[in-house]
């Protein structure tokens, strides 16, 4: 489904600040897999997502999604098949637009209904109300409320809905619950699993929470210095505790996992 082949990226090449961030990274994902990604600060996780999404160009390597070579495809074209969520809940929604306007804009763009208008028919409104109700946050009662007035958790739930309204082939989640309180984070992680599995969306999720990395989805990869150093699945993953993983990491890369944010979380 997704094939990343031998990806290299060096920032500020040829300067004293040269930084080899990705060093021949390869990864294959099956359709519908939810794979969690962990790794120390600066391991290259966000850069990898930027390269997959087309925001950053790799120096070498290929990106193939659903048999389509995206390596030289522009970012806006990839955005049609790749959804992305970030840590900051404010990045995914238009704060000045209401919940239903946010939904209508994404929906009309995706269904090629022109002109792009936030005007809603009764059928659209029913559809949106149903989708919002499934989030279990009462947002279906608040269609006319501006997205900017929602809490971080509500906003991230709306962002998740917007990003998957038309299910993308690939969903990239970059610490999308890190800015939320633990209760909201748990709720969003639950919704993430539900939506990803419900639509069988191939999903990569970066997290600093090793506990949820091991619990969510079916596979966990560990990045270190620009390559994948661990790929855990099946029984090996099922039986692994957070302590086992940290021990294994140390054994593999001869360093402690740079866990500034990690161990403090549940
Ligand atoms: N556009 C850029 N220009 C120069 N250097 C960059 C750029 N983007 C990232 N880097 C550098 O690449 C390295 C990897 O950064 P990246 O954001 O991919 O790490 P990460 O694994 O996501 O870390 P974190 O867990 O802290 O989010 C860092 O040293 C960073 O400073
Ligand atoms: Mg990052």
């Amino acid at each position: 489904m997704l094939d990343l082949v031998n990806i290299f990226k060096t920032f500020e090449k040829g300067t004293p600040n040269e930084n080899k961030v990705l060093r021949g990274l390869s990864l294959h994902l099956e359709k519908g897999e939810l794979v969690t990604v962990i790794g120390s600060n600066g391991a290259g996780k966000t850069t990898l997502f930027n390269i997959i999404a087309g925001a950053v160009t790799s120096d070498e390597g290929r990106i193939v999604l659903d048999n389509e070579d995206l390596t030289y495809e522009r970012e806006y074209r990839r955005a049609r098949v790749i959804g992305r969520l970030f840590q900051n809940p404010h990045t995914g929604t238009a704060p000045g637009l209401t919940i239903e306007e946010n939904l209508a804009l994404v929906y009309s763009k995706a269904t090629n209904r022109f002109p792009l208008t936030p005007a809603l028919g009764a059928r659209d409104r029913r559809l949106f109300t149903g989708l919002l109700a499934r989030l279990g946050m009462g947002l279906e009662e608040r269609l006319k409320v501006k997205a900017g007035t929602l809490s971080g958790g509500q906003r991230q739930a709306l962002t998740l809905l917007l990003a998957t309204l038309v299910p993308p082939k690939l969903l990239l989640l970059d610490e999308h619950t890190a800015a939320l309180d633990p209760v909201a984070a748990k709720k969003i992680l639950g919704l993430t699993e539900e939506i990803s599995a419900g639509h069988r969306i191939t999903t990569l999720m970066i997290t600093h929470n090793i506990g949820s990395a091991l619990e969510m989805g079916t596979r966990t990869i560990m990045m270190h210095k620009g390559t994948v150093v661990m790929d855990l699945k099946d029984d090996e993953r099922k039986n692994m505790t957070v302590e086992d993983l940290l021990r294994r990491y140390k054994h593999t890369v001869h360093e402690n996992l740079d866990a500034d944010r990690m161990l403090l979380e549940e």
Side-chain angles (χ1 to χ4, degrees):
M1 171 60 181
L2 174 70
D3 271 299
L4 305 174
V5 188
N6 214 19
I7 307 232
F8 283 85
K9 179 69 190 178
T10 301
F11 287 112
E12 308 190 60
K13 208 176 239 171
T15 75
N17 295 326
E18 182 168 293
N19 191 357
K20 292 189 172 126
V21 176
L22 295 177
R23 313 176 191 219
L25 182 142
S26 294
L27 183 65
H28 172 82
L29 259 61
E30 300 290 344
K31 166 144 178 79
E33 260 191 314
L34 192 168
V35 178
T36 56
V37 183
I38 51 182
S40 46
N41 300 124
K45 304 179 295 295
T46 298
T47 301
L48 178 66
F49 277 20
N50 281 332
I51 287 173
I52 297 172
V56 166
T57 320
S58 64
D59 300 330
E60 264 181 67
R62 286 199 317 135
I63 301 158
V64 180
L65 180 62
D66 200 17
N67 295 319
E68 195 184 343
D69 193 328
L70 297 182
T71 314
Y72 302 105
E73 200 69 86
R74 303 280 294 275
E75 184 179 12
Y76 78 93
R77 291 186 58 97
R78 297 190 206 189
R80 295 178 192 167
V81 286
I82 300 177
R84 200 168 177 194
L85 261 74
F86 300 89
Q87 185 169 335
N88 184 344
H90 300 285
T91 49
T93 48
L97 298 185
T98 65
I99 292 180
E100 72 173 14
E101 286 167 348
N102 268 284
L103 283 159
L105 271 181
V106 170
Y107 191 62
S108 59
K109 204 153 88 184
T111 51
N112 277 327
R113 272 196 290 172
F114 289 99
L116 291 183
T117 160
L120 266 193
R123 238 181 71 209
D124 293 340
R125 187 166 287 126
R126 268 201 306 278
L127 171 75
F128 296 161
T129 306
L131 291 169
L132 287 165
R134 269 197 247 157
L135 300 178
M137 290 185 159
L139 296 182
E140 68 280 10
E141 316 271 334
R142 304 175 69 192
L143 284 172
K144 305 280 186 203
V145 162
K146 287 208 161 75
T149 66
L150 301 176
S151 72
Q154 291 168 335
R155 231 168 136 177
Q156 208 61 322
L158 180 60
T159 304
L160 193 56
L161 184 56
L162 291 172
T164 54
L165 197 57
V166 175
K169 289 182 179 174
L170 178 68
L171 185 59
L172 301 175
L173 308 169
D174 194 345
E175 299 190 54
H176 69 309
T177 61
L180 307 178
D181 66 75
V183 175
K186 197 158 176 232
K187 172 89 195 164
I188 297 296
L189 289 180
L191 287 171
T192 302
E193 276 204 307
E194 215 175 288
I195 290 175
S196 169
H199 296 293
R200 289 196 70 217
I201 304 172
T202 310
T203 305
L204 275 171
M205 181 182 114
I206 299 172
T207 176
H208 275 94
N209 187 325
I210 305 179
S212 45
L214 288 173
E215 273 165 32
M216 288 200 42
T218 52
R219 186 173 161 201
T220 299
I221 61 168
M222 166 86 77
M223 279 180 65
H224 179 70
K225 292 193 177 157
T227 59
V228 174
V229 293
M230 238 188 260
D231 191 344
L232 301 166
K233 49 192 148 186
D234 304 327
D235 283 349
E236 188 186 23
R237 179 178 189 259
K238 214 167 9 183
N239 298 326
M240 190 161 276
T241 64
V242 172
E243 291 71 32
D244 291 339
L245 184 68
L246 292 174
R247 218 174 299 126
R248 175 84 177 272
Y249 179 85
K250 189 167 183 186
H251 184 75
T252 308
V253 306
H254 307 292
E255 271 176 37
N256 281 315
L257 187 54
D258 178 5
D260 57 348
R261 278 174 285 167
M262 275 179 218
L263 298 178
L264 302 171
E265 293 166 14
E266 61 181 33

